[in-house]
Amino acid sequence: MSTLFFSSNRDISVGSYRIWVNDLSQYFNELGIAAKIYTDNSDFQNCDTIIVGKSDALITPTLRQSFPNKKIGVINLQADRLDLPIDFVIVGSVEEKASLSTYDNVFIYPLIERLYQNKQLKTHTNSDILKIGFHGNYPHLAKFEPHLSRALEEIDKQHKIELVIVTSSENYDWQYGRPNIENITMKTWDINTVGNDISEFDIGIVPNITDIPLDVDKHETSVDHGLYNTDYIFRMKNKSNAGRAFVFHQLGIPVIADFTPSNFHIMGDPDCGYLVHDQNSWKRAVIELMDPSRRQSVAKKARKEFDRLYNPYKWAERLNKQIGEIK
């Protein structure tokens, strides 16, 4: 079975292209699975399967009409596009898979960065200033509000910390969720430098969910219905995934992350990281990780679990098998 990846956007700095087209096509070929990235229209004739990039989903009706006997799939499809004539969807998490279950075939290929595969683990030592780092798209910065921001403000009063933000632009005017602390450094995400930038972190933080405080005057509580005034209420994107945590695992940075479901696959083991929600749990996790030996231990065990659970060749081989089994 030969596979053609079609993507009009070939910006290697875009994660969906880098991971699901550039990297995945390389893994396919290294496994002996014929794959190439589209160069001209003759490529459509010489493949069995066409995998379309997320920004090109609307081309699939034309492809279906022109190639009715080929298998056609879309990467990272928007959850409100439930009417496309496709055979499968490729997603990055169980959260996203569930949101697209209208389609018969939704396959997970996790956001495993080839860019950071097999990197040497960071060696954690004592330092005068603890570097707490974030990397990712700027909308995630709003998720510091309220718990993570308040926790960092409390810690900053007693310990020397630096918050390092690696995001779309170092000039982003971050307002909502920005903690009121002394040292915040903004850096632009650059594919040529991001690995080194992240490797300088002592702790990696991954905020994603939006907390919704339970208002007992508005929300029903009922023992019979299993509804209590201590319940968690939060929201998150359907495309939530563990990709940002994966990068930290790959580079040997211990992770503190919120209750996004995909984070539990590795960090459900407390020896592999910290899953937190409120201000106190964020604060306690940071304080525990001030010990460099604890940071080293957590990073080492998380990396071992990442390598066991997220071997890209196994996931690529599984994906190819799943596509091949579509009737």
Side-chain angles (χ1 to χ4, degrees):
M1 183 175 74
S2 59
T3 299
L4 176 68
F5 290 84
F6 178 86
S7 178
S8 59
N9 183 350
R10 299 192 183 185
D11 183 351
I12 200 70
S13 68
V14 176
S16 61
Y17 175 78
R18 185 175 62 254
I19 295 173
W20 283 310
V21 178
N22 184 77
D23 294 359
L24 181 55
S25 65
Q26 290 186 60
Y27 288 129
F28 273 0
N29 283 308
E30 289 166 7
L31 287 165
I33 301 165
K36 69 172 296 184
I37 299 173
Y38 171 89
T39 54
D40 58 58
N41 286 341
S42 65
D43 291 335
F44 289 124
Q45 302 290 343
N46 302 317
C47 67
D48 302 301
T49 300
I50 303 170
I51 298 177
V52 177
K54 63 179 292 186
S55 61
D56 299 296
L58 295 183
I59 198 177
T60 54
T62 300
L63 290 175
R64 173 58 71 209
Q65 185 175 15
S66 301
F67 307 105
N69 297 320
K70 297 185 186 295
K71 295 175 183 177
I72 299 173
V74 177
I75 294 165
N76 201 221
L77 183 65
Q78 294 295 328
D80 57 357
R81 294 311 312 246
L82 303 177
D83 56 347
L84 295 179
I86 57 178
D87 300 296
F88 63 95
V89 182
I90 297 174
V91 300
S93 66
V94 293
E95 298 93 313
E96 188 176 8
K97 179 177 179 178
S99 74
L100 288 162
S101 58
T102 296
Y103 290 102
D104 292 334
N105 301 296
V106 185
F107 306 135
I108 297 175
Y109 182 81
L111 285 89
I112 304 167
E113 287 273 17
R114 189 180 178 99
L115 189 64
Y116 309 116
Q117 278 294 93
N118 304 313
K119 294 290 187 180
Q120 185 174 351
L121 284 179
K122 176 185 174 75
T123 299
H124 289 271
T125 59
N126 280 312
S127 57
D128 293 335
I129 298 178
L130 186 77
K131 289 193 175 185
I132 302 171
F134 164 97
H135 74 95
N137 198 14
Y138 72 86
H140 292 294
L141 293 172
K143 309 306 179 180
F144 278 62
E145 182 69 26
H147 303 305
L148 176 53
S149 288
R150 301 295 87 77
L152 292 174
E153 289 169 357
E154 285 193 12
I155 294 167
D156 189 54
K157 294 174 183 177
Q158 300 176 348
H159 305 276
K160 291 182 178 180
I161 64 172
E162 178 185 6
L163 177 61
V164 183
I165 305 294
V166 181
T167 191
S168 317
S169 171
E170 63 188 55
N171 297 316
Y172 172 64
D173 185 20
W174 181 22
Q175 298 293 328
Y176 186 75
R178 183 185 179 102
N180 183 22
I181 63 176
E182 183 176 353
N183 294 320
I184 299 179
T185 301
M186 303 287 287
K187 293 187 176 184
T188 299
W189 192 100
D190 184 316
I191 196 167
N192 297 308
T193 59
V194 64
N196 289 333
D197 287 340
I198 294 173
S199 293
E200 292 179 358
F201 299 171
D202 296 308
I203 299 170
I205 50 176
V206 187
N208 180 63
I209 64 175
T210 299
D211 186 35
I212 302 173
L214 191 149
D215 185 338
V216 294
D217 294 328
K218 295 180 179 179
H219 296 100
E220 176 187 1
T221 58
S222 167
V223 174
D224 291 339
H225 293 169
L227 301 173
Y228 304 94
N229 61 9
T230 52
D231 291 344
Y232 294 117
I233 303 178
F234 54 80
R235 63 184 293 179
M236 60 188 177
K237 290 173 61 179
N238 77 295
K239 292 181 180 296
S240 294
N241 60 72
R244 286 181 288 144
F246 286 173
V247 172
F248 289 134
H249 298 325
Q250 288 173 285
L251 293 175
I253 311 299
V255 182
I256 309 172
D258 64 26
F259 284 175
T260 299
S262 287
N263 291 335
F264 283 77
H265 200 201
I266 289 177
M267 290 187 290
D269 180 344
D271 287 334
C272 294
Y274 292 79
L275 293 171
V276 300
H277 180 68
D278 62 6
Q279 178 176 331
N280 286 329
S281 54
W282 278 105
K283 179 181 176 181
R284 290 179 186 279
V286 171
I287 290 173
E288 285 194 29
L289 287 172
M290 287 181 176
D291 178 356
S293 64
R294 175 61 180 166
R295 295 200 301 273
Q296 198 73 63
S297 173
V298 169
K300 182 178 180 180
K301 290 178 180 178
R303 168 69 175 270
K304 183 177 180 180
E305 276 298 274
F306 175 84
D307 289 342
R308 181 179 73 87
L309 294 170
Y310 291 99
N311 181 318
Y313 292 99
K314 290 182 179 179
W315 282 94
E317 192 169 37
R318 176 190 296 171
L319 175 62
N320 183 65
K321 183 175 184 290
Q322 290 171 321
I323 295 171
E325 290 174 346
I326 297 173
K327 303 288 185 188

